[in-house]
Amino acid sequence: MEQTAASRIKDHEPTPSPSSPPPSVSHPLLNPALRRAWRDLTTIQCGITPAHAVTIGPVDPTTASLMNLFDGTRGIPLLQEESRRLGLPEAHLPRLIARLSAAGLLDDATGGGPRTDALRKDPAALQRLRPDLMSLSLTDRSPGGGIRRIAARRTMSVQVRGAGRVGALIAATLSAAGIGSIDVMDGGQVEPWDVSPGGLPAEAIGERRDVAARRLVRRCTPGGPRAGPSPGEWPTSRHPPSSHPPGFALVVLAPRDGLTAHAPDPAAAAEFMASGTPHLYAGVLEATGMVGPLVLPGETACAGCLDLGRADQDRTWSRMLAQWRSGRRSPAQACDLGLATAVAGTAAAHALAALDGGRPSSTGLRWEMPLPDTDWRARQVAPHPDCTCGAARTEEREDTSASGPPHERMAE
Protein backbone atom coordinates (compact mmCIF):
# COMPACT_ATOMS: atom_id res chain seq x y z
CA MET A 1 0.00 0.00 0.00
CA GLU A 2 2.82 2.39 0.84
CA GLN A 3 4.46 1.79 -2.53
CA THR A 4 1.23 2.67 -4.26
CA ALA A 5 0.93 5.84 -2.21
CA ALA A 6 4.50 6.81 -2.99
CA SER A 7 4.02 6.30 -6.70
CA ARG A 8 0.91 8.45 -6.46
CA ILE A 9 3.10 11.44 -5.60
CA LYS A 10 5.55 10.67 -8.35
CA ASP A 11 2.80 10.24 -10.93
CA HIS A 12 1.01 13.45 -9.94
CA GLU A 13 3.96 15.72 -9.17
CA PRO A 14 3.43 18.97 -11.11
CA THR A 15 6.06 21.28 -12.52
CA PRO A 16 5.41 24.52 -10.61
CA SER A 17 6.70 27.93 -11.47
CA PRO A 18 10.17 28.32 -9.92
CA SER A 19 9.30 31.69 -8.45
CA SER A 20 5.86 31.40 -6.88
CA PRO A 21 3.72 28.73 -5.17
CA PRO A 22 0.22 27.76 -6.33
CA PRO A 23 -2.05 30.77 -5.67
CA SER A 24 -4.71 28.55 -4.05
CA VAL A 25 -2.58 28.03 -0.92
CA SER A 26 -1.93 31.12 1.18
CA HIS A 27 -1.32 29.61 4.64
CA PRO A 28 -0.06 26.03 4.14
CA LEU A 29 -1.15 23.47 6.71
CA LEU A 30 0.03 19.87 6.64
CA ASN A 31 -3.16 17.85 7.03
CA PRO A 32 -3.50 17.38 10.81
CA ALA A 33 -5.75 14.35 10.32
CA LEU A 34 -2.76 12.30 9.15
CA ARG A 35 -0.13 11.29 11.71
CA ARG A 36 3.44 11.42 10.43
CA ALA A 37 6.30 9.01 11.01
CA TRP A 38 9.74 8.44 9.47
CA ARG A 39 9.88 5.11 7.64
CA ASP A 40 13.62 5.50 7.24
CA LEU A 41 16.16 8.32 7.12
CA THR A 42 14.70 9.88 3.95
CA THR A 43 11.05 8.75 3.79
CA ILE A 44 8.04 10.08 5.69
CA GLN A 45 4.70 8.31 5.89
CA CYS A 46 1.69 10.55 6.42
CA GLY A 47 -1.23 8.55 7.75
CA ILE A 48 -1.66 5.14 9.35
CA THR A 49 -4.64 3.53 7.64
CA PRO A 50 -4.08 2.04 4.16
CA ALA A 51 -7.03 3.93 2.70
CA HIS A 52 -5.47 7.34 3.33
CA ALA A 53 -1.75 6.85 4.01
CA VAL A 54 0.73 8.54 1.66
CA THR A 55 4.50 8.05 1.62
CA ILE A 56 6.79 10.86 0.48
CA GLY A 57 10.48 10.83 -0.23
CA PRO A 58 13.27 11.50 -0.46
CA VAL A 59 13.01 14.15 2.25
CA ASP A 60 16.17 15.67 3.68
CA PRO A 61 16.32 17.01 7.28
CA THR A 62 16.25 20.65 6.16
CA THR A 63 13.10 20.12 4.07
CA ALA A 64 11.54 18.29 7.00
CA SER A 65 12.27 21.31 9.19
CA LEU A 66 10.53 23.54 6.66
CA MET A 67 7.55 21.19 6.53
CA ASN A 68 7.23 21.42 10.31
CA LEU A 69 6.45 25.12 9.82
CA PHE A 70 3.39 24.29 7.70
CA ASP A 71 1.01 24.72 10.64
CA GLY A 72 -1.38 27.25 9.09
CA THR A 73 -0.05 30.23 11.08
CA ARG A 74 2.41 31.46 8.45
CA GLY A 75 1.73 32.97 5.05
CA ILE A 76 3.86 32.39 1.97
CA PRO A 77 6.14 35.44 2.42
CA LEU A 78 7.08 34.41 5.96
CA LEU A 79 7.65 30.80 4.90
CA GLN A 80 9.86 31.99 2.07
CA GLU A 81 11.95 33.93 4.60
CA GLU A 82 12.25 30.81 6.76
CA SER A 83 13.22 28.80 3.69
CA ARG A 84 16.04 31.24 2.91
CA ARG A 85 17.17 31.17 6.53
CA LEU A 86 17.46 27.39 6.26
CA GLY A 87 19.67 27.83 3.20
CA LEU A 88 17.23 26.36 0.70
CA PRO A 89 17.02 27.55 -2.94
CA GLU A 90 14.39 30.15 -3.84
CA ALA A 91 12.38 27.64 -5.89
CA HIS A 92 12.36 24.98 -3.17
CA LEU A 93 9.30 26.25 -1.27
CA PRO A 94 6.94 26.52 -4.27
CA ARG A 95 8.02 23.10 -5.50
CA LEU A 96 7.46 21.57 -2.08
CA ILE A 97 4.03 23.20 -1.73
CA ALA A 98 3.00 22.04 -5.21
CA ARG A 99 4.21 18.53 -4.52
CA LEU A 100 2.41 18.23 -1.18
CA SER A 101 -0.75 19.76 -2.67
CA ALA A 102 -0.73 17.26 -5.55
CA ALA A 103 -0.36 14.43 -3.04
CA GLY A 104 -3.38 15.68 -1.07
CA LEU A 105 -1.33 16.39 2.05
CA LEU A 106 -1.64 20.16 2.18
CA ASP A 107 -4.57 22.18 3.46
CA ASP A 108 -5.02 25.94 3.51
CA ALA A 109 -5.77 27.43 6.92
CA THR A 110 -7.43 30.51 5.39
CA GLY A 111 -8.88 29.13 2.14
CA GLY A 112 -12.41 28.29 1.12
CA GLY A 113 -14.14 31.58 0.30
CA PRO A 114 -16.79 33.74 2.02
CA ARG A 115 -18.79 30.84 3.46
CA THR A 116 -15.76 29.41 5.21
CA ASP A 117 -14.82 32.85 6.50
CA ALA A 118 -18.25 33.05 8.14
CA LEU A 119 -17.71 29.62 9.69
CA ARG A 120 -14.33 30.66 11.09
CA LYS A 121 -16.09 33.59 12.79
CA ASP A 122 -18.28 31.07 14.66
CA PRO A 123 -15.65 29.41 16.88
CA ALA A 124 -18.18 27.52 18.98
CA ALA A 125 -19.58 25.76 15.90
CA LEU A 126 -16.14 25.23 14.39
CA GLN A 127 -14.82 23.53 17.51
CA ARG A 128 -17.86 21.22 17.63
CA LEU A 129 -17.31 20.35 13.97
CA ARG A 130 -13.53 19.91 14.20
CA PRO A 131 -13.59 16.07 13.92
CA ASP A 132 -15.97 16.29 10.94
CA LEU A 133 -13.72 18.88 9.32
CA MET A 134 -10.68 16.63 9.73
CA SER A 135 -12.59 13.70 8.27
CA LEU A 136 -13.71 15.73 5.25
CA SER A 137 -10.12 16.87 4.71
CA LEU A 138 -9.33 13.21 3.96
CA THR A 139 -12.17 12.74 1.49
CA ASP A 140 -11.60 16.09 -0.21
CA ARG A 141 -7.83 16.56 -0.38
CA SER A 142 -7.91 19.93 -2.15
CA PRO A 143 -6.59 22.88 -0.07
CA GLY A 144 -9.54 24.21 1.91
CA GLY A 145 -11.75 21.40 0.61
CA GLY A 146 -12.83 20.10 4.01
CA ILE A 147 -13.98 23.42 5.42
CA ARG A 148 -15.71 24.29 2.13
CA ARG A 149 -17.81 21.15 2.47
CA ILE A 150 -18.61 21.90 6.11
CA ALA A 151 -19.67 25.42 5.11
CA ALA A 152 -21.81 24.01 2.29
CA ARG A 153 -23.57 21.68 4.71
CA ARG A 154 -24.68 24.68 6.73
CA THR A 155 -26.68 25.97 3.73
CA MET A 156 -28.62 22.73 3.22
CA SER A 157 -32.02 21.58 4.39
CA VAL A 158 -32.96 17.94 4.93
CA GLN A 159 -36.22 16.36 5.95
CA VAL A 160 -36.39 13.20 8.08
CA ARG A 161 -39.70 11.36 8.08
CA GLY A 162 -39.93 9.24 11.18
CA ALA A 163 -38.92 9.97 14.78
CA GLY A 164 -38.54 6.58 16.40
CA ARG A 165 -35.33 4.90 17.51
CA VAL A 166 -33.85 5.19 14.02
CA GLY A 167 -35.29 8.42 12.62
CA ALA A 168 -34.70 10.64 15.66
CA LEU A 169 -31.06 9.59 15.86
CA ILE A 170 -30.56 10.19 12.13
CA ALA A 171 -31.98 13.69 12.49
CA ALA A 172 -29.81 14.43 15.53
CA THR A 173 -26.68 13.11 13.79
CA LEU A 174 -27.24 15.16 10.64
CA SER A 175 -27.79 18.27 12.71
CA ALA A 176 -24.67 17.66 14.79
CA ALA A 177 -22.68 17.06 11.58
CA GLY A 178 -23.47 20.59 10.43
CA ILE A 179 -26.54 20.31 8.18
CA GLY A 180 -28.12 23.75 8.39
CA SER A 181 -31.80 22.86 8.69
CA ILE A 182 -33.44 19.55 9.68
CA ASP A 183 -37.20 19.14 9.52
CA VAL A 184 -38.66 16.08 11.25
CA MET A 185 -42.11 14.69 10.47
CA ASP A 186 -43.98 12.10 12.51
CA GLY A 187 -47.28 11.67 14.29
CA GLY A 188 -48.44 10.53 17.68
CA GLN A 189 -46.73 10.79 21.04
CA VAL A 190 -43.33 9.64 22.23
CA GLU A 191 -43.63 6.15 23.69
CA PRO A 192 -41.21 4.51 26.15
CA TRP A 193 -39.80 2.31 23.39
CA ASP A 194 -38.92 5.37 21.27
CA VAL A 195 -36.28 6.44 23.81
CA SER A 196 -32.64 5.81 22.93
CA PRO A 197 -29.19 7.20 23.75
CA GLY A 198 -28.55 10.08 21.36
CA GLY A 199 -32.19 10.04 20.28
CA LEU A 200 -35.37 11.01 22.09
CA PRO A 201 -34.83 11.30 25.86
CA ALA A 202 -36.97 9.70 28.54
CA GLU A 203 -38.36 13.07 29.62
CA ALA A 204 -39.99 13.40 26.18
CA ILE A 205 -42.35 10.47 26.78
CA GLY A 206 -45.91 11.64 26.25
CA GLU A 207 -44.96 14.64 24.10
CA ARG A 208 -45.71 14.95 20.40
CA ARG A 209 -43.03 13.08 18.48
CA ASP A 210 -42.36 15.82 15.95
CA VAL A 211 -42.05 18.49 18.63
CA ALA A 212 -39.68 16.39 20.74
CA ALA A 213 -37.57 15.45 17.70
CA ARG A 214 -37.24 19.05 16.53
CA ARG A 215 -36.14 20.10 20.01
CA LEU A 216 -33.53 17.31 19.89
CA VAL A 217 -32.30 18.62 16.55
CA ARG A 218 -31.98 22.17 17.89
CA ARG A 219 -30.04 20.93 20.89
CA CYS A 220 -27.58 19.11 18.61
CA THR A 221 -26.95 22.05 16.26
CA PRO A 222 -23.31 23.20 16.49
CA GLY A 223 -23.23 26.83 17.60
CA GLY A 224 -27.01 27.07 17.89
CA PRO A 225 -29.76 27.27 15.24
CA ARG A 226 -29.03 29.22 12.06
CA ALA A 227 -31.57 31.13 10.01
CA GLY A 228 -31.97 31.29 6.29
CA PRO A 229 -30.43 28.14 4.74
CA SER A 230 -30.37 28.10 0.97
CA PRO A 231 -33.23 25.83 -0.11
CA GLY A 232 -32.61 22.63 -2.00
CA GLU A 233 -28.86 22.90 -2.42
CA TRP A 234 -27.28 19.75 -3.86
CA PRO A 235 -23.57 20.11 -4.66
CA THR A 236 -23.41 18.02 -7.83
CA SER A 237 -23.96 19.05 -11.42
CA ARG A 238 -26.19 16.01 -11.97
CA HIS A 239 -28.72 17.28 -9.43
CA PRO A 240 -29.19 21.05 -9.69
CA PRO A 241 -30.93 22.78 -6.79
CA SER A 242 -33.82 23.88 -9.01
CA SER A 243 -34.91 20.26 -9.47
CA HIS A 244 -35.95 19.88 -5.81
CA PRO A 245 -38.95 21.14 -3.87
CA PRO A 246 -38.32 24.28 -1.81
CA GLY A 247 -36.31 23.57 1.30
CA PHE A 248 -35.01 20.02 0.92
CA ALA A 249 -31.84 18.72 -0.68
CA LEU A 250 -32.60 15.21 0.61
CA VAL A 251 -35.43 13.37 2.32
CA VAL A 252 -34.61 10.47 4.66
CA LEU A 253 -37.48 8.05 5.16
CA ALA A 254 -36.98 6.23 8.48
CA PRO A 255 -40.47 5.08 9.53
CA ARG A 256 -41.10 3.54 12.92
CA ASP A 257 -42.92 0.72 11.13
CA GLY A 258 -40.07 -1.14 9.48
CA LEU A 259 -42.37 -2.62 6.86
CA THR A 260 -42.68 0.82 5.28
CA ALA A 261 -38.89 0.92 4.85
CA HIS A 262 -38.63 -2.69 3.69
CA ALA A 263 -41.46 -2.40 1.18
CA PRO A 264 -41.98 1.33 0.55
CA ASP A 265 -45.22 2.37 -1.10
CA PRO A 266 -44.51 3.90 -4.56
CA ALA A 267 -47.50 6.20 -4.14
CA ALA A 268 -45.99 7.70 -0.99
CA ALA A 269 -42.82 8.53 -2.93
CA ALA A 270 -44.68 10.09 -5.86
CA GLU A 271 -44.02 13.66 -4.67
CA PHE A 272 -40.27 12.99 -4.51
CA MET A 273 -40.22 11.38 -7.94
CA ALA A 274 -42.21 14.24 -9.47
CA SER A 275 -39.96 16.92 -8.00
CA GLY A 276 -36.69 15.04 -8.52
CA THR A 277 -35.90 14.99 -4.80
CA PRO A 278 -33.24 12.43 -3.76
CA HIS A 279 -34.51 10.21 -0.95
CA LEU A 280 -33.00 7.51 1.23
CA TYR A 281 -34.78 4.65 2.98
CA ALA A 282 -33.68 3.30 6.38
CA GLY A 283 -35.29 1.25 9.13
CA VAL A 284 -35.51 -1.97 11.11
CA LEU A 285 -38.00 -4.79 10.47
CA GLU A 286 -38.07 -8.03 12.46
CA ALA A 287 -34.53 -7.53 13.81
CA THR A 288 -33.17 -6.80 10.34
CA GLY A 289 -31.59 -3.42 9.75
CA MET A 290 -31.88 -1.75 6.34
CA VAL A 291 -30.15 1.21 4.72
CA GLY A 292 -31.04 2.08 1.14
CA PRO A 293 -31.73 2.41 -1.57
CA LEU A 294 -30.77 6.02 -2.11
CA VAL A 295 -33.05 7.02 -4.96
CA LEU A 296 -31.95 9.60 -7.52
CA PRO A 297 -35.23 10.05 -9.44
CA GLY A 298 -34.98 9.08 -13.08
CA GLU A 299 -31.45 7.71 -12.62
CA THR A 300 -31.58 4.87 -10.09
CA ALA A 301 -34.11 2.28 -8.95
CA CYS A 302 -37.03 3.63 -6.92
CA ALA A 303 -39.76 2.19 -4.69
CA GLY A 304 -41.75 1.26 -7.79
CA CYS A 305 -38.80 -0.67 -9.23
CA LEU A 306 -38.38 -2.48 -5.92
CA ASP A 307 -42.06 -3.43 -5.81
CA LEU A 308 -42.19 -4.64 -9.42
CA GLY A 309 -38.97 -6.60 -9.02
CA ARG A 310 -40.29 -8.45 -6.00
CA ALA A 311 -43.55 -9.23 -7.79
CA ASP A 312 -41.54 -10.75 -10.64
CA GLN A 313 -39.63 -12.98 -8.24
CA ASP A 314 -42.65 -13.99 -6.14
CA ARG A 315 -46.13 -13.89 -7.68
CA THR A 316 -47.71 -13.98 -4.21
CA TRP A 317 -45.79 -10.90 -3.05
CA SER A 318 -48.51 -8.34 -3.75
CA ARG A 319 -51.15 -10.43 -2.01
CA MET A 320 -49.04 -10.89 1.11
CA LEU A 321 -47.95 -7.26 1.18
CA ALA A 322 -51.56 -6.09 1.14
CA GLN A 323 -52.27 -8.30 4.18
CA TRP A 324 -49.20 -7.07 6.06
CA ARG A 325 -50.08 -3.44 5.43
CA SER A 326 -53.71 -3.79 6.47
CA GLY A 327 -53.27 -6.28 9.29
CA ARG A 328 -53.07 -5.53 12.97
CA ARG A 329 -49.57 -4.73 14.18
CA SER A 330 -47.85 -4.29 17.53
CA PRO A 331 -47.08 -0.65 18.39
CA ALA A 332 -43.56 -1.68 19.38
CA GLN A 333 -41.30 -3.21 16.74
CA ALA A 334 -38.57 -5.87 16.98
CA CYS A 335 -35.91 -3.17 16.90
CA ASP A 336 -32.82 -4.00 18.94
CA LEU A 337 -31.23 -0.83 20.33
CA GLY A 338 -27.74 -1.67 19.09
CA LEU A 339 -29.09 -2.49 15.63
CA ALA A 340 -31.19 0.68 15.51
CA THR A 341 -28.12 2.75 16.42
CA ALA A 342 -26.04 1.02 13.74
CA VAL A 343 -28.74 1.63 11.13
CA ALA A 344 -29.09 5.29 12.11
CA GLY A 345 -25.34 5.86 12.00
CA THR A 346 -24.94 4.11 8.66
CA ALA A 347 -27.89 5.95 7.14
CA ALA A 348 -26.57 9.29 8.36
CA ALA A 349 -23.14 8.51 6.89
CA HIS A 350 -24.68 7.66 3.52
CA ALA A 351 -26.84 10.80 3.62
CA LEU A 352 -23.84 13.00 4.40
CA ALA A 353 -21.78 11.38 1.66
CA ALA A 354 -24.52 12.17 -0.83
CA LEU A 355 -24.97 15.74 0.42
CA ASP A 356 -21.21 16.26 0.20
CA GLY A 357 -21.42 15.46 -3.51
CA GLY A 358 -20.58 11.76 -3.47
CA ARG A 359 -22.45 8.72 -4.65
CA PRO A 360 -22.62 6.32 -1.68
CA SER A 361 -22.93 2.58 -2.14
CA SER A 362 -26.62 2.70 -1.16
CA THR A 363 -27.36 4.36 -4.52
CA GLY A 364 -29.49 1.71 -6.21
CA LEU A 365 -28.61 -0.81 -3.50
CA ARG A 366 -29.88 -1.84 -0.08
CA TRP A 367 -27.65 -2.84 2.82
CA GLU A 368 -29.19 -5.31 5.28
CA MET A 369 -28.03 -6.60 8.66
CA PRO A 370 -30.15 -9.44 10.10
CA LEU A 371 -29.47 -10.30 13.73
CA PRO A 372 -27.83 -12.26 15.27
CA ASP A 373 -25.28 -11.69 12.47
CA THR A 374 -23.54 -8.35 12.53
CA ASP A 375 -22.40 -8.24 8.89
CA TRP A 376 -23.95 -5.90 6.35
CA ARG A 377 -25.18 -7.70 3.23
CA ALA A 378 -25.72 -5.97 -0.10
CA ARG A 379 -28.93 -6.47 -2.10
CA GLN A 380 -28.97 -4.93 -5.55
CA VAL A 381 -32.08 -2.93 -6.45
CA ALA A 382 -32.19 -2.80 -10.23
CA PRO A 383 -34.28 -0.37 -12.29
CA HIS A 384 -37.38 -2.14 -13.60
CA PRO A 385 -38.22 -1.74 -17.29
CA ASP A 386 -41.95 -1.42 -16.53
CA CYS A 387 -41.56 1.30 -13.89
CA THR A 388 -42.62 4.77 -14.91
CA CYS A 389 -39.59 6.35 -13.20
CA GLY A 390 -37.51 5.88 -16.36
CA ALA A 391 -34.36 4.73 -14.52
CA ALA A 392 -34.14 1.59 -16.65
CA ARG A 393 -34.03 3.67 -19.83
CA THR A 394 -31.43 5.97 -18.30
CA GLU A 395 -29.27 2.98 -17.34
CA GLU A 396 -29.64 1.54 -20.85
CA ARG A 397 -28.56 4.84 -22.43
CA GLU A 398 -25.54 5.08 -20.12
CA ASP A 399 -24.52 1.50 -20.89
CA THR A 400 -24.81 2.13 -24.63
CA SER A 401 -22.85 5.37 -24.37
CA ALA A 402 -20.10 3.72 -22.32
CA SER A 403 -19.70 0.82 -24.74
CA GLY A 404 -19.15 3.08 -27.77
CA PRO A 405 -19.80 2.31 -31.44
CA PRO A 406 -18.99 -1.23 -32.68
CA HIS A 407 -15.86 -0.18 -34.57
CA GLU A 408 -14.48 1.53 -31.44
CA ARG A 409 -15.05 -1.56 -29.34
CA MET A 410 -13.21 -3.67 -31.92
CA ALA A 411 -10.32 -1.24 -31.95
CA GLU A 412 -9.90 -1.66 -28.22
Side-chain angles (χ1 to χ4, degrees), residues 18-295:
S19 59
S20 61
S24 59
V25 182
S26 61
H27 285 70
L29 170 65
L30 275 174
N31 194 323
L34 297 173
R35 303 184 190 184
R36 301 194 296 276
W38 287 91
R39 292 183 60 84
D40 53 44
L41 293 177
T42 61
T43 309
I44 298 176
Q45 179 167 319
C46 301
I48 302 171
T49 60
H52 299 294
V54 176
T55 302
I56 57 174
V59 178
D60 60 82
T62 307
T63 299
S65 297
L66 181 60
M67 289 171 58
N68 287 335
L69 301 178
F70 292 177
D71 59 3
T73 64
R74 298 171 178 85
I76 298 301
L78 183 55
L79 286 172
Q80 193 64 270
E81 290 180 15
E82 295 289 347
S83 180
R84 295 190 196 101
R85 187 179 62 81
L86 292 169
L88 293 169
E90 191 75 13
H92 192 78
L93 177 65
R95 285 184 180 141
L96 178 61
I97 289 177
R99 188 182 186 196
L100 294 174
S101 295
L105 295 175
L106 205 62
D107 206 342
D108 187 351
T110 60
R115 283 182 182 171
T116 63
D117 292 340
L119 177 56
R120 291 188 181 98
K121 293 176 182 177
D122 189 353
L126 190 57
Q127 290 303 316
R128 282 273 302 274
L129 292 167
R130 184 72 62 181
D132 303 87
L133 172 59
M134 294 177 70
S135 179
L136 284 170
S137 74
L138 297 179
T139 57
D140 184 341
R141 295 292 189 94
S142 62
I147 196 167
R148 275 196 301 271
R149 291 186 182 275
I150 286 286
R153 286 182 181 182
R154 287 158 61 92
T155 70
M156 298 176 187
S157 293
V158 172
Q159 185 180 73
V160 178
R161 297 197 176 187
R165 281 188 165 186
V166 175
L169 185 51
I170 291 174
T173 302
L174 293 178
S175 179
I179 299 300
S181 175
I182 308 290
D183 179 52
V184 186
M185 288 183 59
D186 205 343
Q189 296 181 335
V190 177
E191 300 289 350
W193 48 82
D194 294 324
V195 173
S196 69
L200 296 175
E203 54 267 27
I205 294 174
E207 294 184 17
R208 283 177 45 183
R209 279 198 184 90
D210 56 349
V211 172
R214 289 168 185 164
R215 184 170 59 249
L216 170 68
V217 165
R218 289 194 298 272
R219 190 169 67 242
C220 293
T221 301
R226 291 176 297 279
S230 300
E233 181 164 339
W234 185 267
T236 66
S237 58
R238 297 166 66 93
H239 304 284
S242 60
S243 66
H244 307 140
F248 303 119
L250 176 71
V251 175
V252 181
L253 297 122
R256 287 175 288 110
D257 181 0
L259 177 62
T260 308
H262 180 71
D265 184 356
E271 59 178 306
F272 312 134
M273 299 303 295
S275 62
T277 304
H279 47 288
L280 173 69
Y281 293 96
V284 176
L285 175 66
E286 297 175 354
T288 298
M290 297 162 287
V291 176
L294 170 65
V295 180

